[in-house]
């Protein structure tokens, strides 16, 4: 068997993320980082464009008359989720697993479980994230390989959250 | 109260679809009709791009090795759904209700109920339809009003299908 340069180094572990994938994520995250607030908001606006019913998942949107793109709480929340996602992707290869800041996977699992988030909702978020990044990076930077790298990182984050989406056992 | 030109004429009935909305649908459908097979396929490919799990709803995709865009059964099915949707929209104002060809609303309701299609799936189909039409018509024809007209027609079709999504009573 030939040794493939850039193939996954953590082949026996939970994480499969190649050097090339890491480079593509780091390259694009370096561009996006300085504009995370706006890009994060666009990420969430894309989610709501595809799935308007997802607004119901956010208590601060339910009784608000403020337009979505002007809602300060949405902007803060969206930036936080976007930065968390991108940082988890950027650190995925070195950390060897999904790591999240400002929260825990256990908490993310519990929240998504409580809200009834399932396959369909995670798929919409994945699509929205990839579309948002495609529009946020320079046109000549975006490629199928970059899409694949971000898609893989997102899938691993969802998998890590799903692992924690278990009803709490009562003793 | 002022009488609004182009406002809905069937205000008391189930259907609310203005002359302007009808004109926008007819204008764009006239352009798309001759290429319905390809546009219908793009509509379904967009659905699967946003929601890969939706492929499980189609038995002829489950055990197929043929790429989605080369699958003859998908192409036939997609064209049929696309033409049905567009014709229902084009006839909506004159018919005063959603009318479907080659099938019945009752059958559509039963199929969607059996397959567990819910809000999330209809939302993805709505987004995919509007994106597909946007890309299928000339750029200077597409407008927020045209998006609104197709969105309204789609919503009414979904509403008509949902009305039939009732478990069959057993005696």
């Amino acid at each position: 068997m030939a040794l493939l340069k850039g193939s996954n180094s953590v082949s026996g572990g939970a994480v499969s993320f190649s050097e090339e994938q890491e480079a593509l994520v780091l390259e694009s995250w370096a561009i996006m980082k300085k504009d995370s607030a706006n890009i994060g908001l666009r990420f969430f606006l894309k989610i709501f464009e595809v799935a308007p019913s997802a607004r119901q998942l956010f208590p601060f949107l339910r009784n608000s008359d403020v337009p979505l793109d002007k809602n300060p709480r949405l902007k803060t929340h969206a930036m936080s989720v976007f930065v968390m996602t991108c940082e988890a992707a950027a650190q995925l290869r070195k950390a060897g697993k999904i790591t999240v800041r400002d929260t825990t996977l256990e908490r993310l699992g519990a929240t998504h479980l409580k809200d009834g988030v399932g396959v369909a909702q995670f798929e919409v978020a994945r699509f929205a994230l990839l579309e948002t990044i495609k529009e946020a990076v320079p046109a000549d930077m975006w490629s199928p390989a970059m899409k694949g790298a971000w898609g893989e990182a997102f899938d691993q984050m969802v998998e890590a959250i799903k692992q924690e989406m278990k009803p709490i056992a009562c003793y």
Side-chain angles (χ1 to χ4, degrees), chain A:
Chain A
M1 282 200 300
L3 279 173
L4 295 172
K5 192 178 169 225
S7 66
N8 306 324
S9 70
V10 196
S11 56
V15 166
S16 160
F17 205 64
S18 73
E19 277 178 45
E20 281 162 332
Q21 287 175 314
E22 182 188 48
L24 291 164
V25 160
L26 291 176
E27 179 188 8
S28 41
W29 177 225
I31 297 276
M32 296 188 291
K33 195 183 271 183
K34 54 187 173 295
D35 198 23
S36 327
N38 288 318
I39 302 174
L41 182 60
R42 290 206 292 273
F43 169 37
F44 269 68
L45 293 178
K46 181 64 79 176
I47 290 176
F48 298 139
E49 184 190 350
V50 179
S53 66
R55 284 177 294 188
Q56 296 304 314
L57 298 173
F58 303 93
F60 54 86
L61 296 181
R62 276 181 218 145
N63 297 311
S64 171
D65 292 332
V66 183
L68 281 177
D69 60 344
K70 302 273 183 279
N71 189 308
R73 293 192 60 188
L74 177 61
K75 194 160 181 173
T76 306
H77 181 76
M79 179 172 76
S80 158
V81 173
F82 180 66
V83 170
M84 185 196 73
T85 306
C86 293
E87 286 185 345
Q91 292 157 12
L92 180 55
R93 188 176 162 83
K94 282 197 179 142
K97 62 180 182 184
I98 289 291
T99 46
V100 291
R101 74 166 194 179
D102 297 337
T103 185
T104 61
L105 282 167
E106 193 180 5
R107 194 178 154 82
L108 288 175
T111 309
H112 286 85
L113 179 73
K114 177 177 72 60
D115 289 342
V117 172
V119 171
Q121 287 76 24
F122 282 126
E123 283 182 341
V124 168
R126 186 190 204 272
F127 173 79
L129 178 71
L130 298 181
E131 285 288 296
T132 303
I133 296 175
K134 177 184 174 181
E135 287 164 20
V137 299
D140 59 354
M141 182 183 277
W142 184 249
S143 65
M146 184 172 277
K147 183 179 182 180
W150 280 105
E152 177 62 29
F154 184 83
D155 289 344
Q156 295 207 19
M157 196 175 76
V158 168
E159 201 44 52
I161 292 172
K162 280 186 182 163
Q163 290 288 326
E164 301 291 340
M165 285 174 74
K166 303 158 195 155
I168 295 161
C170 299
Y171 297 97

